[in-house]
PDB file of all heavy atoms in Angstrom:
ATOM      1  N   ASN A   1      -0.644  22.537 -16.000  1.00  0.00           N
ATOM      2  CA  ASN A   1      -0.748  23.552 -17.047  1.00  0.00           C
ATOM      3  C   ASN A   1      -2.168  24.107 -17.102  1.00  0.00           C
ATOM      4  O   ASN A   1      -3.096  23.495 -16.566  1.00  0.00           O
ATOM      5  CB  ASN A   1      -0.369  22.954 -18.399  1.00  0.00           C
ATOM      6  CG  ASN A   1       1.061  22.455 -18.450  1.00  0.00           C
ATOM      7  OD1 ASN A   1       1.941  22.996 -17.781  1.00  0.00           O
ATOM      8  ND2 ASN A   1       1.306  21.420 -19.237  1.00  0.00           N
ATOM      9  N   SER A   2      -2.318  25.222 -17.760  1.00  0.00           N
ATOM     10  CA  SER A   2      -3.636  25.853 -17.925  1.00  0.00           C
ATOM     11  C   SER A   2      -4.356  25.955 -16.586  1.00  0.00           C
ATOM     12  O   SER A   2      -5.537  25.604 -16.470  1.00  0.00           O
ATOM     13  CB  SER A   2      -4.481  25.057 -18.934  1.00  0.00           C
ATOM     14  OG  SER A   2      -3.826  24.963 -20.173  1.00  0.00           O
ATOM     15  N   LEU A   3      -3.673  26.438 -15.598  1.00  0.00           N
ATOM     16  CA  LEU A   3      -4.235  26.487 -14.252  1.00  0.00           C
ATOM     17  C   LEU A   3      -5.403  27.454 -14.170  1.00  0.00           C
ATOM     18  O   LEU A   3      -5.430  28.505 -14.841  1.00  0.00           O
ATOM     19  CB  LEU A   3      -3.154  26.881 -13.248  1.00  0.00           C
ATOM     20  CG  LEU A   3      -2.207  25.723 -12.877  1.00  0.00           C
ATOM     21  CD1 LEU A   3      -0.915  26.251 -12.272  1.00  0.00           C
ATOM     22  CD2 LEU A   3      -2.898  24.772 -11.920  1.00  0.00           C
ATOM     23  N   LYS A   4      -6.362  27.073 -13.342  1.00  0.00           N
ATOM     24  CA  LYS A   4      -7.583  27.850 -13.148  1.00  0.00           C
ATOM     25  C   LYS A   4      -7.684  28.264 -11.681  1.00  0.00           C
ATOM     26  O   LYS A   4      -7.127  27.592 -10.807  1.00  0.00           O
ATOM     27  CB  LYS A   4      -8.799  27.001 -13.512  1.00  0.00           C
ATOM     28  CG  LYS A   4      -8.768  26.404 -14.902  1.00  0.00           C
ATOM     29  CD  LYS A   4      -9.957  25.485 -15.119  1.00  0.00           C
ATOM     30  CE  LYS A   4      -9.933  24.845 -16.492  1.00  0.00           C
ATOM     31  NZ  LYS A   4     -11.103  23.942 -16.698  1.00  0.00           N
ATOM     32  N   PRO A   5      -8.434  29.321 -11.389  1.00  0.00           N
ATOM     33  CA  PRO A   5      -8.602  29.702  -9.976  1.00  0.00           C
ATOM     34  C   PRO A   5      -9.141  28.567  -9.107  1.00  0.00           C
ATOM     35  O   PRO A   5      -8.762  28.460  -7.933  1.00  0.00           O
ATOM     36  CB  PRO A   5      -9.592  30.865 -10.060  1.00  0.00           C
ATOM     37  CG  PRO A   5      -9.321  31.477 -11.398  1.00  0.00           C
ATOM     38  CD  PRO A   5      -9.025  30.299 -12.303  1.00  0.00           C
ATOM     39  N   GLU A   6      -9.968  27.706  -9.678  1.00  0.00           N
ATOM     40  CA  GLU A   6     -10.510  26.597  -8.895  1.00  0.00           C
ATOM     41  C   GLU A   6      -9.482  25.512  -8.598  1.00  0.00           C
ATOM     42  O   GLU A   6      -9.776  24.561  -7.857  1.00  0.00           O
ATOM     43  CB  GLU A   6     -11.729  25.980  -9.602  1.00  0.00           C
ATOM     44  CG  GLU A   6     -11.506  25.619 -11.052  1.00  0.00           C
ATOM     45  CD  GLU A   6     -11.992  26.704 -12.005  1.00  0.00           C
ATOM     46  OE1 GLU A   6     -11.744  27.919 -11.729  1.00  0.00           O
ATOM     47  OE2 GLU A   6     -12.594  26.348 -13.035  1.00  0.00           O
ATOM     48  N   ASP A   7      -8.287  25.624  -9.148  1.00  0.00           N
ATOM     49  CA  ASP A   7      -7.203  24.710  -8.787  1.00  0.00           C
ATOM     50  C   ASP A   7      -6.503  25.143  -7.506  1.00  0.00           C
ATOM     51  O   ASP A   7      -5.632  24.421  -7.000  1.00  0.00           O
ATOM     52  CB  ASP A   7      -6.179  24.625  -9.922  1.00  0.00           C
ATOM     53  CG  ASP A   7      -6.730  23.984 -11.175  1.00  0.00           C
ATOM     54  OD1 ASP A   7      -7.450  22.967 -11.059  1.00  0.00           O
ATOM     55  OD2 ASP A   7      -6.447  24.504 -12.280  1.00  0.00           O
ATOM     56  N   THR A   8      -6.848  26.304  -6.999  1.00  0.00           N
ATOM     57  CA  THR A   8      -6.238  26.793  -5.772  1.00  0.00           C
ATOM     58  C   THR A   8      -6.539  25.856  -4.607  1.00  0.00           C
ATOM     59  O   THR A   8      -7.698  25.540  -4.342  1.00  0.00           O
ATOM     60  CB  THR A   8      -6.754  28.205  -5.443  1.00  0.00           C
ATOM     61  OG1 THR A   8      -6.330  29.105  -6.469  1.00  0.00           O
ATOM     62  CG2 THR A   8      -6.232  28.680  -4.097  1.00  0.00           C
ATOM     63  N   ALA A   9      -5.483  25.396  -3.955  1.00  0.00           N
ATOM     64  CA  ALA A   9      -5.633  24.437  -2.858  1.00  0.00           C
ATOM     65  C   ALA A   9      -4.260  24.143  -2.267  1.00  0.00           C
ATOM     66  O   ALA A   9      -3.227  24.533  -2.837  1.00  0.00           O
ATOM     67  CB  ALA A   9      -6.256  23.140  -3.359  1.00  0.00           C
ATOM     68  N   VAL A  10      -4.269  23.435  -1.149  1.00  0.00           N
ATOM     69  CA  VAL A  10      -3.044  22.822  -0.653  1.00  0.00           C
ATOM     70  C   VAL A  10      -2.943  21.449  -1.303  1.00  0.00           C
ATOM     71  O   VAL A  10      -3.886  20.654  -1.241  1.00  0.00           O
ATOM     72  CB  VAL A  10      -3.052  22.692   0.880  1.00  0.00           C
ATOM     73  CG1 VAL A  10      -1.791  21.982   1.348  1.00  0.00           C
ATOM     74  CG2 VAL A  10      -3.162  24.077   1.527  1.00  0.00           C
ATOM     75  N   TYR A  11      -1.814  21.189  -1.928  1.00  0.00           N
ATOM     76  CA  TYR A  11      -1.596  19.926  -2.623  1.00  0.00           C
ATOM     77  C   TYR A  11      -0.726  19.018  -1.762  1.00  0.00           C
ATOM     78  O   TYR A  11       0.317  19.430  -1.254  1.00  0.00           O
ATOM     79  CB  TYR A  11      -0.931  20.179  -3.976  1.00  0.00           C
ATOM     80  CG  TYR A  11      -1.891  20.705  -5.011  1.00  0.00           C
ATOM     81  CD1 TYR A  11      -2.423  21.987  -4.909  1.00  0.00           C
ATOM     82  CD2 TYR A  11      -2.294  19.915  -6.079  1.00  0.00           C
ATOM     83  CE1 TYR A  11      -3.331  22.467  -5.840  1.00  0.00           C
ATOM     84  CE2 TYR A  11      -3.193  20.385  -7.027  1.00  0.00           C
ATOM     85  CZ  TYR A  11      -3.709  21.650  -6.896  1.00  0.00           C
ATOM     86  OH  TYR A  11      -4.601  22.125  -7.831  1.00  0.00           O
ATOM     87  N   TYR A  12      -1.184  17.771  -1.620  1.00  0.00           N
ATOM     88  CA  TYR A  12      -0.493  16.788  -0.793  1.00  0.00           C
ATOM     89  C   TYR A  12      -0.011  15.622  -1.647  1.00  0.00           C
ATOM     90  O   TYR A  12      -0.762  15.074  -2.454  1.00  0.00           O
ATOM     91  CB  TYR A  12      -1.432  16.245   0.285  1.00  0.00           C
ATOM     92  CG  TYR A  12      -1.892  17.265   1.279  1.00  0.00           C
ATOM     93  CD1 TYR A  12      -3.066  17.989   1.065  1.00  0.00           C
ATOM     94  CD2 TYR A  12      -1.174  17.506   2.437  1.00  0.00           C
ATOM     95  CE1 TYR A  12      -3.504  18.936   1.982  1.00  0.00           C
ATOM     96  CE2 TYR A  12      -1.602  18.446   3.365  1.00  0.00           C
ATOM     97  CZ  TYR A  12      -2.764  19.146   3.128  1.00  0.00           C
ATOM     98  OH  TYR A  12      -3.195  20.081   4.041  1.00  0.00           O
ATOM     99  N   CYS A  13       1.217  15.247  -1.427  1.00  0.00           N
ATOM    100  CA  CYS A  13       1.765  14.029  -2.009  1.00  0.00           C
ATOM    101  C   CYS A  13       1.462  12.874  -1.063  1.00  0.00           C
ATOM    102  O   CYS A  13       1.481  13.047   0.171  1.00  0.00           O
ATOM    103  CB  CYS A  13       3.271  14.190  -2.197  1.00  0.00           C
ATOM    104  SG  CYS A  13       4.108  12.750  -2.853  1.00  0.00           S
ATOM    105  N   ALA A  14       1.200  11.704  -1.618  1.00  0.00           N
ATOM    106  CA  ALA A  14       0.882  10.537  -0.802  1.00  0.00           C
ATOM    107  C   ALA A  14       1.465   9.286  -1.437  1.00  0.00           C
ATOM    108  O   ALA A  14       1.679   9.244  -2.658  1.00  0.00           O
ATOM    109  CB  ALA A  14      -0.633  10.402  -0.644  1.00  0.00           C
ATOM    110  N   ALA A  15       1.683   8.259  -0.615  1.00  0.00           N
ATOM    111  CA  ALA A  15       2.268   7.015  -1.114  1.00  0.00           C
ATOM    112  C   ALA A  15       1.836   5.832  -0.255  1.00  0.00           C
ATOM    113  O   ALA A  15       1.515   5.992   0.924  1.00  0.00           O
ATOM    114  CB  ALA A  15       3.793   7.118  -1.124  1.00  0.00           C
ATOM    115  N   TYR A  16       1.836   4.658  -0.870  1.00  0.00           N
ATOM    116  CA  TYR A  16       1.669   3.427  -0.102  1.00  0.00           C
ATOM    117  C   TYR A  16       2.510   2.337  -0.722  1.00  0.00           C
ATOM    118  O   TYR A  16       2.705   2.308  -1.938  1.00  0.00           O
ATOM    119  CB  TYR A  16       0.197   3.008   0.020  1.00  0.00           C
ATOM    120  CG  TYR A  16      -0.510   2.601  -1.241  1.00  0.00           C
ATOM    121  CD1 TYR A  16      -0.517   1.275  -1.674  1.00  0.00           C
ATOM    122  CD2 TYR A  16      -1.200   3.539  -1.997  1.00  0.00           C
ATOM    123  CE1 TYR A  16      -1.196   0.905  -2.829  1.00  0.00           C
ATOM    124  CE2 TYR A  16      -1.872   3.177  -3.158  1.00  0.00           C
ATOM    125  CZ  TYR A  16      -1.869   1.865  -3.560  1.00  0.00           C
ATOM    126  OH  TYR A  16      -2.533   1.491  -4.716  1.00  0.00           O
ATOM    127  N   SER A  17       2.983   1.451   0.116  1.00  0.00           N
ATOM    128  CA  SER A  17       3.800   0.334  -0.326  1.00  0.00           C
ATOM    129  C   SER A  17       2.919  -0.718  -0.981  1.00  0.00           C
ATOM    130  O   SER A  17       1.837  -1.037  -0.474  1.00  0.00           O
ATOM    131  CB  SER A  17       4.542  -0.268   0.864  1.00  0.00           C
ATOM    132  OG  SER A  17       5.317  -1.378   0.450  1.00  0.00           O
ATOM    133  N   THR A  18       3.370  -1.261  -2.108  1.00  0.00           N
ATOM    134  CA  THR A  18       2.568  -2.242  -2.815  1.00  0.00           C
ATOM    135  C   THR A  18       3.437  -3.165  -3.650  1.00  0.00           C
ATOM    136  O   THR A  18       4.537  -2.790  -4.068  1.00  0.00           O
ATOM    137  CB  THR A  18       1.543  -1.529  -3.720  1.00  0.00           C
ATOM    138  OG1 THR A  18       0.756  -2.506  -4.410  1.00  0.00           O
ATOM    139  CG2 THR A  18       2.242  -0.661  -4.762  1.00  0.00           C
ATOM    140  N   THR A  19       2.928  -4.362  -3.890  1.00  0.00           N
ATOM    141  CA  THR A  19       3.604  -5.291  -4.799  1.00  0.00           C
ATOM    142  C   THR A  19       2.927  -5.296  -6.163  1.00  0.00           C
ATOM    143  O   THR A  19       3.373  -5.993  -7.076  1.00  0.00           O
ATOM    144  CB  THR A  19       3.597  -6.709  -4.227  1.00  0.00           C
ATOM    145  OG1 THR A  19       2.234  -7.109  -4.018  1.00  0.00           O
ATOM    146  CG2 THR A  19       4.369  -6.775  -2.915  1.00  0.00           C
ATOM    147  N   VAL A  20       1.853  -4.537  -6.299  1.00  0.00           N
ATOM    148  CA  VAL A  20       1.102  -4.469  -7.547  1.00  0.00           C
ATOM    149  C   VAL A  20       1.631  -3.308  -8.367  1.00  0.00           C
ATOM    150  O   VAL A  20       1.496  -2.142  -7.977  1.00  0.00           O
ATOM    151  CB  VAL A  20      -0.408  -4.296  -7.284  1.00  0.00           C
ATOM    152  CG1 VAL A  20      -1.169  -4.192  -8.597  1.00  0.00           C
ATOM    153  CG2 VAL A  20      -0.922  -5.454  -6.439  1.00  0.00           C
ATOM    154  N   SER A  21       2.213  -3.587  -9.506  1.00  0.00           N
ATOM    155  CA  SER A  21       2.867  -2.536 -10.272  1.00  0.00           C
ATOM    156  C   SER A  21       1.928  -1.748 -11.162  1.00  0.00           C
ATOM    157  O   SER A  21       2.192  -0.592 -11.481  1.00  0.00           O
ATOM    158  CB  SER A  21       3.968  -3.155 -11.149  1.00  0.00           C
ATOM    159  OG  SER A  21       3.397  -4.019 -12.121  1.00  0.00           O
ATOM    160  N   ASN A  22       0.814  -2.371 -11.558  1.00  0.00           N
ATOM    161  CA  ASN A  22      -0.015  -1.766 -12.598  1.00  0.00           C
ATOM    162  C   ASN A  22      -1.295  -1.155 -12.047  1.00  0.00           C
ATOM    163  O   ASN A  22      -2.330  -1.155 -12.706  1.00  0.00           O
ATOM    164  CB  ASN A  22      -0.344  -2.788 -13.678  1.00  0.00           C
ATOM    165  CG  ASN A  22      -1.083  -3.992 -13.114  1.00  0.00           C
ATOM    166  OD1 ASN A  22      -1.236  -4.124 -11.903  1.00  0.00           O
ATOM    167  ND2 ASN A  22      -1.545  -4.857 -13.990  1.00  0.00           N
ATOM    168  N   TYR A  23      -1.231  -0.642 -10.834  1.00  0.00           N
ATOM    169  CA  TYR A  23      -2.414  -0.039 -10.231  1.00  0.00           C
ATOM    170  C   TYR A  23      -2.009   0.954  -9.150  1.00  0.00           C
ATOM    171  O   TYR A  23      -1.002   0.765  -8.460  1.00  0.00           O
ATOM    172  CB  TYR A  23      -3.314  -1.106  -9.620  1.00  0.00           C
ATOM    173  CG  TYR A  23      -4.499  -0.541  -8.881  1.00  0.00           C
ATOM    174  CD1 TYR A  23      -5.580   0.002  -9.568  1.00  0.00           C
ATOM    175  CD2 TYR A  23      -4.530  -0.518  -7.489  1.00  0.00           C
ATOM    176  CE1 TYR A  23      -6.655   0.555  -8.899  1.00  0.00           C
ATOM    177  CE2 TYR A  23      -5.601   0.028  -6.815  1.00  0.00           C
ATOM    178  CZ  TYR A  23      -6.666   0.547  -7.513  1.00  0.00           C
ATOM    179  OH  TYR A  23      -7.724   1.093  -6.849  1.00  0.00           O
ATOM    180  N   ALA A  24      -2.800   2.021  -9.017  1.00  0.00           N
ATOM    181  CA  ALA A  24      -2.656   2.956  -7.904  1.00  0.00           C
ATOM    182  C   ALA A  24      -4.048   3.394  -7.485  1.00  0.00           C
ATOM    183  O   ALA A  24      -4.865   3.760  -8.338  1.00  0.00           O
ATOM    184  CB  ALA A  24      -1.819   4.165  -8.300  1.00  0.00           C
ATOM    185  N   SER A  25      -4.325   3.348  -6.213  1.00  0.00           N
ATOM    186  CA  SER A  25      -5.644   3.724  -5.714  1.00  0.00           C
ATOM    187  C   SER A  25      -5.909   5.220  -5.910  1.00  0.00           C
ATOM    188  O   SER A  25      -4.986   6.038  -5.899  1.00  0.00           O
ATOM    189  CB  SER A  25      -5.749   3.381  -4.230  1.00  0.00           C
ATOM    190  OG  SER A  25      -6.984   3.793  -3.703  1.00  0.00           O
ATOM    191  N   THR A  26      -7.185   5.551  -6.068  1.00  0.00           N
ATOM    192  CA  THR A  26      -7.584   6.960  -6.165  1.00  0.00           C
ATOM    193  C   THR A  26      -8.284   7.435  -4.896  1.00  0.00           C
ATOM    194  O   THR A  26      -8.818   8.543  -4.863  1.00  0.00           O
ATOM    195  CB  THR A  26      -8.505   7.183  -7.370  1.00  0.00           C
ATOM    196  OG1 THR A  26      -9.671   6.376  -7.207  1.00  0.00           O
ATOM    197  CG2 THR A  26      -7.804   6.802  -8.671  1.00  0.00           C
ATOM    198  N   THR A  27      -8.273   6.611  -3.860  1.00  0.00           N
ATOM    199  CA  THR A  27      -8.912   6.977  -2.605  1.00  0.00           C
ATOM    200  C   THR A  27      -7.864   7.251  -1.536  1.00  0.00           C
ATOM    201  O   THR A  27      -6.900   6.492  -1.384  1.00  0.00           O
ATOM    202  CB  THR A  27      -9.868   5.882  -2.121  1.00  0.00           C
ATOM    203  OG1 THR A  27      -9.116   4.668  -1.964  1.00  0.00           O
ATOM    204  CG2 THR A  27     -10.972   5.638  -3.128  1.00  0.00           C
ATOM    205  N   SER A  28      -8.065   8.296  -0.772  1.00  0.00           N
ATOM    206  CA  SER A  28      -7.057   8.733   0.192  1.00  0.00           C
ATOM    207  C   SER A  28      -6.806   7.705   1.287  1.00  0.00           C
ATOM    208  O   SER A  28      -5.677   7.605   1.792  1.00  0.00           O
ATOM    209  CB  SER A  28      -7.461  10.076   0.802  1.00  0.00           C
ATOM    210  OG  SER A  28      -8.687   9.965   1.490  1.00  0.00           O
ATOM    211  N   ARG A  29      -7.793   6.920   1.641  1.00  0.00           N
ATOM    212  CA  ARG A  29      -7.610   5.996   2.768  1.00  0.00           C
ATOM    213  C   ARG A  29      -6.633   4.864   2.428  1.00  0.00           C
ATOM    214  O   ARG A  29      -6.138   4.184   3.325  1.00  0.00           O
ATOM    215  CB  ARG A  29      -8.949   5.410   3.206  1.00  0.00           C
ATOM    216  CG  ARG A  29      -9.674   4.597   2.171  1.00  0.00           C
ATOM    217  CD  ARG A  29     -10.988   4.050   2.722  1.00  0.00           C
ATOM    218  NE  ARG A  29     -11.730   3.297   1.730  1.00  0.00           N
ATOM    219  CZ  ARG A  29     -12.615   3.848   0.917  1.00  0.00           C
ATOM    220  NH1 ARG A  29     -12.859   5.143   0.976  1.00  0.00           N
ATOM    221  NH2 ARG A  29     -13.256   3.099   0.040  1.00  0.00           N
ATOM    222  N   ALA A  30      -6.336   4.687   1.151  1.00  0.00           N
ATOM    223  CA  ALA A  30      -5.364   3.648   0.764  1.00  0.00           C
ATOM    224  C   ALA A  30      -3.926   4.085   1.027  1.00  0.00           C
ATOM    225  O   ALA A  30      -3.030   3.255   1.093  1.00  0.00           O
ATOM    226  CB  ALA A  30      -5.532   3.309  -0.712  1.00  0.00           C
ATOM    227  N   TYR A  31      -3.719   5.370   1.205  1.00  0.00           N
ATOM    228  CA  TYR A  31      -2.362   5.904   1.275  1.00  0.00           C
ATOM    229  C   TYR A  31      -1.874   5.988   2.720  1.00  0.00           C
ATOM    230  O   TYR A  31      -2.530   6.542   3.590  1.00  0.00           O
ATOM    231  CB  TYR A  31      -2.305   7.272   0.575  1.00  0.00           C
ATOM    232  CG  TYR A  31      -2.407   7.093  -0.914  1.00  0.00           C
ATOM    233  CD1 TYR A  31      -3.642   6.926  -1.536  1.00  0.00           C
ATOM    234  CD2 TYR A  31      -1.272   7.031  -1.703  1.00  0.00           C
ATOM    235  CE1 TYR A  31      -3.736   6.707  -2.903  1.00  0.00           C
ATOM    236  CE2 TYR A  31      -1.348   6.820  -3.073  1.00  0.00           C
ATOM    237  CZ  TYR A  31      -2.583   6.651  -3.660  1.00  0.00           C
ATOM    238  OH  TYR A  31      -2.669   6.432  -5.012  1.00  0.00           O
ATOM    239  N   GLU A  32      -0.685   5.421   2.920  1.00  0.00           N
ATOM    240  CA  GLU A  32      -0.111   5.324   4.259  1.00  0.00           C
ATOM    241  C   GLU A  32       0.698   6.556   4.636  1.00  0.00           C
ATOM    242  O   GLU A  32       0.782   6.923   5.810  1.00  0.00           O
ATOM    243  CB  GLU A  32       0.831   4.119   4.339  1.00  0.00           C
ATOM    244  CG  GLU A  32       0.211   2.774   3.989  1.00  0.00           C
ATOM    245  CD  GLU A  32       1.283   1.714   3.899  1.00  0.00           C
ATOM    246  OE1 GLU A  32       1.623   1.095   4.915  1.00  0.00           O
ATOM    247  OE2 GLU A  32       1.803   1.523   2.763  1.00  0.00           O
ATOM    248  N   TYR A  33       1.349   7.150   3.667  1.00  0.00           N
ATOM    249  CA  TYR A  33       2.314   8.204   3.951  1.00  0.00           C
ATOM    250  C   TYR A  33       1.936   9.469   3.196  1.00  0.00           C
ATOM    251  O   TYR A  33       1.486   9.416   2.046  1.00  0.00           O
ATOM    252  CB  TYR A  33       3.720   7.747   3.548  1.00  0.00           C
ATOM    253  CG  TYR A  33       4.074   6.394   4.092  1.00  0.00           C
ATOM    254  CD1 TYR A  33       4.241   5.297   3.253  1.00  0.00           C
ATOM    255  CD2 TYR A  33       4.226   6.200   5.458  1.00  0.00           C
ATOM    256  CE1 TYR A  33       4.544   4.053   3.752  1.00  0.00           C
ATOM    257  CE2 TYR A  33       4.532   4.951   5.966  1.00  0.00           C
ATOM    258  CZ  TYR A  33       4.692   3.880   5.116  1.00  0.00           C
ATOM    259  OH  TYR A  33       4.994   2.647   5.626  1.00  0.00           O
ATOM    260  N   TRP A  34       2.152  10.592   3.856  1.00  0.00           N
ATOM    261  CA  TRP A  34       1.733  11.880   3.310  1.00  0.00           C
ATOM    262  C   TRP A  34       2.831  12.924   3.482  1.00  0.00           C
ATOM    263  O   TRP A  34       3.612  12.878   4.433  1.00  0.00           O
ATOM    264  CB  TRP A  34       0.469  12.365   4.027  1.00  0.00           C
ATOM    265  CG  TRP A  34      -0.716  11.504   3.727  1.00  0.00           C
ATOM    266  CD1 TRP A  34      -1.045  10.318   4.308  1.00  0.00           C
ATOM    267  CD2 TRP A  34      -1.720  11.757   2.738  1.00  0.00           C
ATOM    268  NE1 TRP A  34      -2.202   9.819   3.747  1.00  0.00           N
ATOM    269  CE2 TRP A  34      -2.639  10.675   2.784  1.00  0.00           C
ATOM    270  CE3 TRP A  34      -1.943  12.782   1.821  1.00  0.00           C
ATOM    271  CZ2 TRP A  34      -3.749  10.615   1.944  1.00  0.00           C
ATOM    272  CZ3 TRP A  34      -3.046  12.716   0.993  1.00  0.00           C
ATOM    273  CH2 TRP A  34      -3.940  11.632   1.059  1.00  0.00           C
ATOM    274  N   GLY A  35       2.849  13.866   2.537  1.00  0.00           N
ATOM    275  CA  GLY A  35       3.711  15.020   2.678  1.00  0.00           C
ATOM    276  C   GLY A  35       3.036  16.089   3.513  1.00  0.00           C
ATOM    277  O   GLY A  35       1.884  15.952   3.922  1.00  0.00           O
ATOM    278  N   GLN A  36       3.757  17.170   3.750  1.00  0.00           N
ATOM    279  CA  GLN A  36       3.254  18.238   4.617  1.00  0.00           C
ATOM    280  C   GLN A  36       2.295  19.172   3.876  1.00  0.00           C
ATOM    281  O   GLN A  36       1.594  19.968   4.500  1.00  0.00           O
ATOM    282  CB  GLN A  36       4.433  19.052   5.179  1.00  0.00           C
ATOM    283  CG  GLN A  36       5.066  20.045   4.215  1.00  0.00           C
ATOM    284  CD  GLN A  36       5.973  19.399   3.184  1.00  0.00           C
ATOM    285  OE1 GLN A  36       6.142  18.174   3.143  1.00  0.00           O
ATOM    286  NE2 GLN A  36       6.594  20.232   2.349  1.00  0.00           N
ATOM    287  N   GLY A  37       2.240  19.066   2.559  1.00  0.00           N
ATOM    288  CA  GLY A  37       1.366  19.919   1.767  1.00  0.00           C
ATOM    289  C   GLY A  37       2.091  21.145   1.254  1.00  0.00           C
ATOM    290  O   GLY A  37       2.965  21.698   1.923  1.00  0.00           O
ATOM    291  N   THR A  38       1.731  21.569   0.052  1.00  0.00           N
ATOM    292  CA  THR A  38       2.301  22.778  -0.537  1.00  0.00           C
ATOM    293  C   THR A  38       1.161  23.591  -1.160  1.00  0.00           C
ATOM    294  O   THR A  38       0.284  23.046  -1.816  1.00  0.00           O
ATOM    295  CB  THR A  38       3.388  22.441  -1.570  1.00  0.00           C
ATOM    296  OG1 THR A  38       4.005  23.639  -2.042  1.00  0.00           O
ATOM    297  CG2 THR A  38       2.833  21.662  -2.757  1.00  0.00           C
TER     298      THR A  38
END
């Protein structure tokens, strides 16, 4: 919401398998799988 011109980019979805339910990394190198970008 409230999008700004500086939000312009290709957005990628990413995921990694984990047994830890209450945490998600904020660094890209932790993510194993990626979408093609939109």
Side-chain angles (χ1 to χ4, degrees):
N1 298 329
S2 302
L3 282 161
K4 305 175 181 180
E6 51 264 43
D7 294 318
T8 296
V10 177
Y11 284 69
Y12 296 91
C13 178
Y16 66 90
S17 179
T18 180
T19 58
V20 179
S21 65
N22 59 353
Y23 175 74
S25 177
T26 60
T27 58
S28 61
R29 62 179 178 270
Y31 288 82
E32 303 171 88
Y33 310 112
W34 293 82
Q36 77 283 1
T38 185

